[in-house]
Amino acid sequence: MENTEKQVLLSIRNLDVVFGHGKKAFKAVNDVSFDIYKGETLSLVGESGSGKTTIGRAIIRINPCSAGTIYYNGKRISGKLSRKEDRDVIRKIQMIFQDPAASLNERATIEYIISEGLYNFHLFKDEKDRMAKVEKITKEVGLLPEHLTRYPHEFSGGQRQRVGLARSVVMEPEFIIADEPISALDVSIRAQVLNLLKKFQQERGLTYLFIAHDLSIVRFISDRIVVIYKGRIMEIAESEELFKFPLHPYTKSLMSAIPVPDPIIEKRKKLFIYDPAKMHDYSKEQPSLVDLGNGHMVFGSPSEIETYKAIRFANA
């Protein structure tokens, strides 16, 4: 996506999220900084427990920030906000959750689930207008009008995720955090949900933070990818740039785990295991996140950064 004048929609600066206190304190997110531009899909990729979801939940104010600041459209949205500011954030930033079964109220009809945000924020003129909005979005996500009177348990995982998507998009947000929205779905359904996300982005100018652990999925939907390991950013680059030049060993280990469709090649494939203790010596030099040029950022010590630069620009 060519974005000549990139407008920063969301900005995270030096974010820390700590759970617990004293000796039991666990730092889930460690000094994380990145920007998300208006209209783009930025993917946050890392294995389970790397802090991806924690960052998403910090943006929508479920997890409080222990340090650092989050800005949305230039305004701080982390920390204490007035009721009006808080409602503004909820209205403009929506989240689609990983487990569509757990995130939908089992006792509510699909019509009520999709309407909940409309009710809370009075986003309709009258009953007729509310129903028109609900029916329109239901159709757009590929569900039928008769589905509106049913309950979540009557639907498949893919259909439930469509309900989750409809519930978010009907609010007309600017920014959606999609937290592993397809990992619980069958492979055949995944492409349909990804296509829906793309369609809404093009039609409504949406911006996405897409959270995933599988690099093969994010390749085709992301403009840029942020690779995160144990709460720290290891690498940031545009999607194709990252796949052409994966520089950090952790990124390489994630790439080596991508399945190959050919069973014979898959059988012979060697997994690359990332072992920070063996691969880095930070006793003499302190690592940091450095921009190598063309927006490709890598975490490393000064000598590692020189090596990464030499690899990246070897044929330049």
Side-chain angles (χ1 to χ4, degrees), residues 2 48 125 151 165 194 214 220 283:
E2 279 306 307
S48 297
K125 295 197 254 333
Y151 293 86
L165 187 55
L194 287 178
D214 183 347
F220 301 103
S283 55

Tab-separated table of all heavy atoms in Angstrom, residues 2 48 125 151 165 194 214 220 283:
chain	number	residue	atom	x	y	z
A	2	GLU	N	0.801	2.038	-1.045
A	2	GLU	CA	1.588	3.266	-1.106
A	2	GLU	C	0.854	4.356	-0.347
A	2	GLU	O	-0.268	4.708	-0.655
A	2	GLU	CB	1.802	3.700	-2.566
A	2	GLU	CG	2.927	2.957	-3.263
A	2	GLU	CD	4.240	3.034	-2.510
A	2	GLU	OE1	4.686	4.135	-2.186
A	2	GLU	OE2	4.831	1.974	-2.242
A	48	SER	N	2.952	-17.758	21.494
A	48	SER	CA	2.051	-17.567	22.636
A	48	SER	C	2.837	-17.053	23.836
A	48	SER	O	3.933	-17.541	24.114
A	48	SER	CB	1.383	-18.892	23.007
A	48	SER	OG	0.602	-19.325	21.926
A	125	LYS	N	-31.411	6.704	14.959
A	125	LYS	CA	-32.455	7.734	15.116
A	125	LYS	C	-33.694	7.142	15.795
A	125	LYS	O	-34.249	7.706	16.714
A	125	LYS	CB	-32.837	8.320	13.753
A	125	LYS	CG	-31.718	9.103	13.060
A	125	LYS	CD	-32.247	9.988	11.939
A	125	LYS	CE	-31.984	9.540	10.548
A	125	LYS	NZ	-30.904	8.731	10.119
A	151	TYR	N	-29.533	-17.765	18.563
A	151	TYR	CA	-28.555	-17.565	19.646
A	151	TYR	C	-27.181	-18.090	19.213
A	151	TYR	O	-27.102	-18.976	18.348
A	151	TYR	CB	-29.030	-18.289	20.916
A	151	TYR	CG	-30.285	-17.665	21.496
A	151	TYR	CD1	-31.554	-18.047	21.040
A	151	TYR	CD2	-30.200	-16.676	22.473
A	151	TYR	CE1	-32.705	-17.455	21.547
A	151	TYR	CE2	-31.340	-16.079	22.993
A	151	TYR	CZ	-32.586	-16.474	22.526
A	151	TYR	OH	-33.723	-15.876	23.030
A	165	LEU	N	-17.549	-9.785	14.037
A	165	LEU	CA	-17.114	-8.756	13.081
A	165	LEU	C	-18.235	-7.731	12.864
A	165	LEU	O	-17.992	-6.520	12.872
A	165	LEU	CB	-16.738	-9.440	11.755
A	165	LEU	CG	-16.095	-8.598	10.656
A	165	LEU	CD1	-14.852	-7.887	11.151
A	165	LEU	CD2	-15.733	-9.480	9.459
A	194	LEU	N	-10.772	-13.419	6.388
A	194	LEU	CA	-9.719	-12.463	5.991
A	194	LEU	C	-10.201	-11.573	4.845
A	194	LEU	O	-9.949	-10.367	4.841
A	194	LEU	CB	-8.448	-13.210	5.562
A	194	LEU	CG	-7.641	-13.862	6.680
A	194	LEU	CD1	-6.439	-14.605	6.100
A	194	LEU	CD2	-7.171	-12.852	7.703
A	214	ASP	N	1.082	-16.825	13.483
A	214	ASP	CA	1.419	-17.543	12.251
A	214	ASP	C	1.808	-16.540	11.156
A	214	ASP	O	0.970	-15.800	10.652
A	214	ASP	CB	0.179	-18.356	11.832
A	214	ASP	CG	0.426	-19.212	10.609
A	214	ASP	OD1	1.462	-18.997	9.948
A	214	ASP	OD2	-0.409	-20.080	10.301
A	220	PHE	N	-0.002	-11.929	3.701
A	220	PHE	CA	-0.860	-11.457	2.611
A	220	PHE	C	-1.827	-10.350	3.012
A	220	PHE	O	-2.454	-9.749	2.165
A	220	PHE	CB	-1.615	-12.650	2.007
A	220	PHE	CG	-0.668	-13.682	1.483
A	220	PHE	CD1	-0.408	-14.851	2.184
A	220	PHE	CD2	0.042	-13.455	0.309
A	220	PHE	CE1	0.506	-15.786	1.719
A	220	PHE	CE2	0.958	-14.384	-0.164
A	220	PHE	CZ	1.186	-15.544	0.537
A	283	SER	N	26.576	-8.678	27.457
A	283	SER	CA	27.282	-8.281	28.682
A	283	SER	C	28.127	-7.023	28.450
A	283	SER	O	28.288	-6.200	29.336
A	283	SER	CB	28.174	-9.423	29.175
A	283	SER	OG	29.061	-9.820	28.142
